[in-house]
Amino acid sequence: METINSTLEYLDDYLDYYYNNSNVVSVQEEPSHGGKDISRILSVVIYSLTCLLGILGNGLVIVIITFKMKRSINALWFLNLAAADFLFNIFLPLNIAYTAMNYDWVFGEALCKLNSFLLNLNLCCSVLLLTTISIDRCVSVVFPVWAQNHRTIKLACLICIVVWSAGFLMSCPSLIFRQTVSHQGKMVCFNNYSLSKKDHDLGVKRHTAVNVIKFLTGFAIPVIIIMVCYTIIVFKLKRNRLAKTKKPFKIIIAIIVTFFLCWTPFHILNLLEVQYAHFSHVLFEIGIPIVTALAAANSCMNPILYVFMGQEFKKFKVGILSRLVNALSEDTTYSSLAHRSFSKMSSMTEKETVFL
């Protein structure tokens, strides 16, 4: 009985301090209801704009790449990014309704699991694709001849399958631990890492493990890989002065920077909530809804970046479709590297010199 009571107290604490589901006020520290309401309303506004812009923008990108553009590796990367975002966007109305109803989940446990799964799938696939794009860029610059011979559509498709498979596996904890429970007269959709009334300590360990692994695989390690790749690219291009245009380079950098700006607060609060009892629960009640909405907003950002960076913004005569096609088309900068390398090899062979 003591174990059961302890677990129930833990569940109450979990729901009171955690995620964006608490409506219970601690005796020691009463949060500002005005702050909670502002946080919730702001989240609804962000979700609504994200849903509208995301469905329209990502849907347009998918249509353009599928029906209006020739097949290319760059287009394939952008198609998969748009697909991950679009899949999340079409389920976003569930989050809008949940937040608008003051976190009362009325859609059943299956959709509770699916909704959380899609958010994590969007995170995992997006960050894995951005890391893949960075590695692809780096290889194209450092080894242009090899890239010319081995960088194929077939290989890119295989990589995309691996990325989606990895994203699915990384998102599976949502299908296992996400549950609904009646709490304080409302149905709450939350992560129950205990699973049973006797697994309090194990639940804490599971929670810590899931959040730390998510931080490492969905943030820290990709950041390191991406920074290393683009550091190498910058030094290589500056040393050899190979880049004719910085446009494609700027687009990818903008996408990556935007991604991490949107997701960094989310990961920070997810790490902090592992030790939720050591922090004011006001931080989570007000902060979690906002950072979750900000993370979700990333799913509508890429099409906007394609439009405003595909051509110079001052050229108003260029239509949106033209800008999108321009931004999504194969990168001429890196393909030119292989051409130059081949030319260099031919020239040096004629002079009977050693290719360094």
Side-chain angles (χ1 to χ4, degrees):
M1 177 65 69
E2 188 174 61
T3 304
I4 295 175
N5 288 338
S6 173
T7 302
L8 291 176
E9 289 172 4
Y10 165 71
L11 179 59
D12 285 339
D13 286 344
Y14 185 97
L15 293 170
D16 290 347
Y17 284 94
Y18 252 11
Y19 221 61
N20 46 15
N21 306 310
S22 174
N23 294 296
V24 179
V25 178
S26 172
V27 174
Q28 292 103 348
E29 184 176 11
E30 182 171 343
S32 167
H33 288 283
K36 290 171 62 177
D37 289 338
I38 291 173
S39 171
R40 183 170 59 85
I41 294 170
L42 181 60
S43 299
V44 171
V45 172
I46 295 174
Y47 281 138
S48 300
L49 290 174
T50 299
C51 183
L52 177 62
L53 296 176
I55 290 177
L56 293 176
N58 289 300
L60 186 59
V61 169
I62 292 172
V63 170
I64 288 176
I65 293 177
T66 304
F67 299 105
K68 299 294 184 180
M69 293 178 60
K70 65 178 182 179
R71 295 180 63 189
S72 70
I73 295 174
N74 248 25
L76 185 62
W77 300 144
F78 291 131
L79 175 63
N80 280 269
L81 274 175
D85 289 336
F86 185 80
L87 183 62
F88 172 69
N89 289 142
I90 60 177
F91 283 89
L92 201 50
L94 296 179
N95 278 57
I96 297 172
Y98 182 47
T99 308
M101 292 188 296
N102 204 12
Y103 310 113
D104 185 11
W105 187 265
V106 296
F107 306 107
E109 187 165 296
L111 283 179
C112 170
K113 291 178 179 289
L114 180 61
N115 189 57
S116 178
F117 172 79
L118 289 175
L119 174 65
N120 284 284
L121 181 66
N122 175 259
L123 161 65
C124 296
C125 288
S126 294
V127 75
L128 290 175
L129 284 167
L130 291 175
T131 305
T132 300
I133 291 172
S134 301
I135 295 173
D136 177 52
R137 292 283 190 244
C138 187
V139 170
S140 297
V141 170
V142 178
F143 307 107
V145 178
W146 184 93
Q148 183 74 12
N149 294 325
H150 298 88
R151 188 173 174 264
T152 62
I153 294 290
K154 184 177 180 180
L155 177 61
C157 289
L158 180 62
I159 292 173
C160 288
I161 293 174
V162 172
V163 165
W164 280 94
S165 300
F168 181 88
L169 292 175
M170 292 165 64
S171 305
C172 278
S174 295
L175 299 178
I176 299 172
F177 300 116
R178 200 74 171 173
Q179 292 183 357
T180 57
V181 64
S182 179
H183 182 71
Q184 299 295 318
K186 295 185 179 182
M187 190 62 66
V188 176
C189 175
F190 78 114
N191 291 314
N192 182 12
Y193 293 102
S194 293
L195 293 181
S196 75
K197 296 179 179 180
K198 297 182 179 180
D199 285 343
H200 168 67
D201 293 334
L202 181 59
V204 173
K205 293 178 181 178
R206 285 171 178 161
H207 180 209
T208 301
V210 169
N211 279 25
V212 170
I213 291 173
K214 184 188 296 184
F215 173 78
L216 291 175
T217 59
F219 187 77
I221 294 175
V223 164
I224 293 172
I225 294 175
I226 289 171
M227 288 181 64
V228 169
C229 286
Y230 279 98
T231 299
I232 293 172
I233 290 172
V234 168
F235 278 117
K236 182 73 174 179
L237 294 181
K238 284 186 176 181
R239 187 179 66 181
N240 297 317
R241 298 178 182 177
L242 291 173
K244 288 182 177 179
T245 175
K246 295 182 180 179
K247 177 207 41 124
F249 185 76
K250 287 181 178 179
I251 292 173
I252 299 299
I253 290 295
I255 292 172
I256 292 170
V257 169
T258 301
F259 178 88
F260 287 111
L261 285 177
C262 289
W263 281 97
T264 297
F266 177 86
H267 284 292
I268 291 174
L269 276 189
N270 265 269
L271 281 181
L272 292 181
E273 76 170 358
V274 172
Q275 298 294 328
Y276 69 93
H278 299 289
F279 297 92
S280 167
H281 64 284
V282 179
L283 173 66
F284 301 108
E285 289 180 332
I286 295 178
I288 288 289
I290 293 177
V291 300
T292 305
L294 179 63
N298 181 252
S299 63
C300 74
M301 295 294 186
N302 291 351
I304 297 173
L305 293 174
Y306 300 151
V307 170
F308 292 112
M309 299 190 72
Q311 291 282 353
E312 293 180 9
F313 183 58
K314 62 183 180 181
K315 297 180 180 178
F316 292 104
K317 63 180 181 180
V318 180
I320 290 179
L321 293 179
S322 298
R323 293 182 187 179
L324 281 171
V325 171
N326 178 269
L328 297 169
S329 53
E330 188 65 65
D331 188 336
T332 56
T333 300
Y334 302 104
S335 62
S336 67
L337 299 181
H339 175 74
R340 292 189 183 196
S341 296
F342 279 120
S343 300
K344 184 177 180 180
M345 289 178 64
S346 300
S347 175
M348 296 181 76
T349 301
E350 291 173 2
K351 296 177 181 179
E352 297 181 350
T353 59
V354 178
F355 180 69
L356 298 178

